[in-house]
């Protein structure tokens, strides 16, 4: 049984859902923008392939958001609302891409991370070279002022312009109304995107938006359903993208999935339940994208307003079930990850009889993996200490005691295989040590202290890792390394 193989389009839709949460957008923003992108592509006479590429770029446009969340948090404090405010900016001289105009700016760095990871995600999903190239140049501008490479005019893929226009139309119409949305697009024409494309959008905006509201399935003229109907991919890709938001959670979702699926085996659950709990564990962190990093990294008790945002994490994960096709059941189970049998969990405050067994397994496995890993505010607990604490919680009624006993007493089996066999000769042992630390968010100085080597030696190893993994940012190196089985 290949528990991780799922329809490609469902993973793309899931990535779009996570991206919208991370950007502070309604969870139907990317699907709506993709629908509008399809209309625009058809209107300019694009062939079927270009039309599909424009739709895919629109859906995956924000897939790199989790990768630069730590840097966004450092810059804005609230990475989610910071992005939301940038997208709502009306001036063509500011907005999400304007900060990239000055070489060496923080926005240029953020754009590079975002674009590199988005392109790598497309590559791992098996999308074509044109789609990958477009996603690696999402923030280029028609006048050459964009990022990451300062492309201009026809150097920029038309699918980038189409996705940008479609996104702007959906956001500006929702925030300011159709008339103002058209004015803003006209103001940006010639700067961010070609005048001819912008004029076409303005001329058709009213008709397209009305038709969009009459198409609840968002099938549109460039739907990917047919093109991707027989294509599958690995769900671990989604898990790794989710975990990128917080570097200290690298590999977390997959470890939870392995532990949970093994517990399902030991508890005698059938193959469907084993697969269900494994997949649910991989995606149970989807809703985490809606919460700013500064909240996740707060030591001690959270303020009530922050706690309310955390309580909604499983709610958002459950909401994903409405958009992600074959993974709807898994999303529903995943939304029970923080429920507790005594009713003290969230968001439902469900009690034992109302929590499916897969949900009880997931909740205990997620807690155990978290306890065994370091967090910014505490060191990792030893296996013994983590086990004692989890059993005490089970005794108090906050976890299923039978599930906890299985998790603690039975040998763990590794259900999942790496997405690719680890290339043992690709990285040296020391390079893998350095990669492990930087993937968890450690600076060169911190990694050097942990490994008892100099910061300059760490920098040399980082450069070597980047070269061998063909990447230029730590986020991209982390994503590739997890996919290759190094982390």
């Amino acid at each position: 049984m290949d528990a991780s193989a799922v329809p490609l389009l469902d993973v793309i839709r899931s990535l779009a859902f996570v991206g919208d949460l991370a950007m502070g957008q309604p969870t139907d923003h990317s699907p709506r923008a993709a629908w509008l992108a399809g209309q625009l592509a058809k209107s300019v006479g694009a062939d079927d392939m270009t039309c599909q590429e424009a739709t895919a770029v629109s859906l995956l446009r924000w897939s790199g958001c989790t990768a630069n969340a730590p840097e966004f948090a450092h810059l804005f404090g609230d990475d989610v609302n910071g992005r939301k405010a940038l997208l709502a900016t009306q001036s063509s001289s500011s907005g999400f891409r304007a900060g990239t105009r000055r070489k060496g700016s923080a926005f240029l760095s953020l754009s590079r991370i975002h674009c590199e990871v988005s392109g790598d995600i497309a590559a791992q999903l098996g999308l074509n070279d044109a789609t990958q190239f477009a996603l690696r140049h999402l923030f280029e501008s028609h006048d050459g002022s964009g990022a990451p490479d300062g492309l201009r005019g026809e150097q920029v893929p038309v699918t980038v312009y189409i996705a940008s226009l479609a996104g702007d139309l959906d956001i500006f119409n929702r925030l300011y109304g159709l008339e103002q949305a058209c004015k803003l697009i006209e103001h940006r024409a010639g700067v961010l995107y070609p005048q001819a494309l912008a004029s076409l959008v303005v001329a058709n905006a009213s008709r397209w938006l009305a038709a969009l509201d009459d198409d609840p399935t968002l099938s549109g003229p460039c739907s990917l359903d047919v093109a991707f109907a027989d294509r599958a991919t690995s769900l671990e890709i989604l898990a790794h993208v989710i975990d990128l938001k917080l570097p200290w959670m690298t590999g977390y979702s997959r470890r939870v999935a392995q532990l949970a699926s093994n517990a399902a085996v030991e508890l005698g659950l059938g193959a469907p339940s084993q697969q269900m709990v494994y997949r649910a564990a991989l995606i149970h962190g989807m809703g985490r994208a809606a919460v700013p990093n500064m909240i996740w990294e707060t030591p001690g008790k959270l303020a009530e307003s922050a706690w309310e945002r955390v309580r909604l994490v499983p709610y958002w994960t459950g909401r994903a079930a409405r958009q992600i096709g074959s993974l709807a059941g898994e999303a529903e189970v995943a939304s029970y990850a923080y429920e507790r049998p005594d009713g003290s969990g969230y968001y439902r405050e469900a009690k034992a009889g109302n929590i499916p067994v897969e949900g009880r397994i997931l909740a205990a496995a997620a807690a155990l993996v978290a306890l065994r890993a370091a967090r910014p505010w505490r060191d990792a607990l030893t296996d013994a200490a983590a086990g004692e604490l989890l059993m005490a919680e089970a005794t108090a009624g906050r976890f299923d005691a039978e599930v906890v006993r299985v998790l603690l007493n039975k040998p763990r089996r590794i259900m999942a295989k790496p997405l690719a066999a680890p290339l043992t000769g690709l990285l040296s042992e020391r390079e893998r040590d350095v990669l492990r630390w930087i993937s968890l968010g450690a600076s060169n100085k911190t990694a050097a202290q942990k490994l008892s080597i100099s910061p300059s030696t760490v920098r040399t190893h980082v450069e070597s890792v980047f070269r061998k993994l063909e990447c230029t940012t730590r986020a991209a190196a982390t994503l590739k390394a997890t996919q290759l089985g190094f982390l």
Side-chain angles (χ1 to χ4, degrees):
M1 176 182 65
D2 186 352
S4 67
V6 295
L8 172 61
L9 188 52
D10 289 343
V11 173
I12 292 176
R13 286 172 173 151
S14 299
L15 288 165
F17 185 91
V18 171
D20 285 341
L21 289 180
M23 295 298 294
Q25 297 303 301
T27 55
D28 65 346
H29 165 61
S30 287
R32 286 175 60 87
W35 191 99
L36 292 167
Q39 296 286 349
L40 180 53
K42 283 295 187 184
S43 294
V44 298
D47 58 26
D48 289 344
M49 182 62 71
T50 303
C51 188
Q52 291 163 12
E53 291 163 3
T55 302
V57 170
S58 292
L59 284 172
L60 293 173
R61 192 175 178 218
W62 305 130
S63 60
C65 284
T66 57
N68 64 13
E71 289 78 10
F72 245 106
H74 178 74
L75 186 63
F76 291 104
D78 186 331
D79 53 295
V80 178
N81 282 327
R83 289 191 178 102
K84 181 179 180 179
L86 286 170
L87 289 181
T89 301
Q90 299 189 45
S91 171
S92 64
S93 62
S94 56
F96 190 82
R97 291 174 289 187
T100 65
R101 298 183 180 206
R102 183 168 55 83
K103 189 174 182 180
S105 71
F107 280 107
L108 178 58
S109 175
L110 291 170
S111 297
R112 282 176 171 164
I113 296 170
H114 183 120
C115 290
E116 183 170 25
V117 169
S118 294
D120 285 351
I121 290 170
Q124 291 175 10
L125 293 174
L127 303 186
N128 65 20
D129 290 346
T131 302
Q132 293 178 41
F133 185 82
L135 288 166
R136 293 185 191 281
H137 296 88
L138 285 167
F139 306 122
E140 305 288 2
S141 297
H142 187 256
D143 66 354
S145 63
D149 295 327
L151 303 183
R152 66 171 58 242
E154 293 183 359
Q155 294 176 321
V156 181
V158 68
T159 54
V160 169
Y161 293 140
I162 290 173
S164 179
L165 275 160
D168 283 356
L169 177 58
D170 183 62
I171 291 171
F172 292 153
N173 177 67
R174 171 168 33 87
L175 294 179
Y176 310 120
L178 179 58
E179 181 179 355
Q180 182 65 8
C182 290
K183 288 181 179 179
L184 291 172
I185 288 172
E186 289 175 334
H187 190 54
R188 293 181 171 204
V191 178
L192 300 186
Y193 23 71
Q195 179 68 59
L197 281 178
S199 297
L200 189 58
V201 169
V202 170
N204 290 279
S206 178
R207 180 170 60 85
W208 287 347
L209 289 168
L212 174 58
D213 291 337
D214 291 335
D215 185 6
T217 64
L218 298 178
S219 53
C222 293
S223 173
L224 297 176
D225 292 71
V226 175
F228 290 175
D230 299 321
R231 299 177 62 179
T233 192
S234 172
L235 193 56
E236 278 91 352
I237 294 173
L238 176 58
H240 297 154
V241 172
I242 291 169
D243 291 346
L244 278 179
K245 179 173 168 63
L246 298 160
W248 38 270
M249 296 193 78
T250 297
Y252 168 77
S253 295
R254 192 164 186 181
R255 288 194 294 274
V256 173
Q258 291 168 348
L259 194 60
S261 63
N262 295 333
V265 173
E266 299 298 342
L267 288 166
L269 301 187
S273 288
Q274 295 172 33
Q275 176 173 281
M276 176 70 75
V277 76
Y278 180 76
R279 293 182 174 186
L282 288 176
I283 66 174
H284 82 278
M286 290 180 71
R288 200 181 303 131
V291 180
N293 279 25
M294 65 180 186
I295 291 179
W296 292 121
E297 296 182 349
T298 300
K301 187 177 180 180
L302 292 175
E304 188 62 27
S305 59
W307 177 236
E308 280 304 307
R309 297 186 74 169
V310 171
R311 282 177 57 86
L312 288 175
V313 166
Y315 165 80
W316 286 119
T317 299
R319 287 286 294 179
R322 296 177 178 231
Q323 291 185 203
I324 55 179
S326 66
L327 293 171
E330 284 82 351
E332 178 68 13
V333 169
S335 70
Y336 285 92
Y338 304 102
E339 301 290 354
R340 299 294 181 255
D342 66 350
S344 63
Y346 56 93
Y347 66 98
R348 299 177 184 85
E349 299 181 353
K351 293 192 175 182
N354 295 317
I355 304 175
V357 62
E358 295 90 352
R360 298 197 300 274
I361 293 171
L362 172 56
L368 183 57
V369 173
L371 291 171
R372 288 172 171 170
R375 295 293 181 255
W377 57 88
R378 65 161 173 81
D379 293 331
L381 274 63
T382 64
D383 285 358
E388 289 177 5
L389 180 56
L390 196 67
M391 183 54 74
E393 290 288 289
T395 301
R398 287 185 282 275
F399 291 102
D400 185 310
E402 183 181 7
V403 169
V404 170
R405 280 193 291 271
V406 167
L407 289 171
L408 298 179
N409 297 332
K410 294 295 183 180
R412 286 177 286 163
R413 303 170 183 169
I414 302 302
M415 177 181 179
K417 297 178 181 179
L419 300 185
L423 305 176
T424 54
L426 182 61
L427 301 180
S428 69
E429 183 177 351
R430 180 58 82 187
E431 287 170 344
R432 294 176 75 165
D433 289 340
V434 169
L435 175 60
R436 189 172 299 110
W437 280 108
I438 67 169
S439 73
L440 294 172
S443 65
N444 285 1
K445 182 177 180 180
T446 299
Q449 293 172 343
K450 297 291 185 181
L451 297 171
S452 299
I453 56 180
S454 70
S456 61
T457 300
V458 170
R459 184 170 59 252
T460 298
H461 286 310
V462 170
E463 291 171 353
S464 179
V465 168
F466 282 3
R467 184 175 64 257
K468 292 179 179 180
L469 294 181
E470 300 180 337
C471 58
T472 64
T473 63
R474 295 184 177 212
T478 298
L479 182 63
K480 285 189 174 181
T482 52
Q483 293 298 102
L484 290 170
F486 288 125
L487 298 174

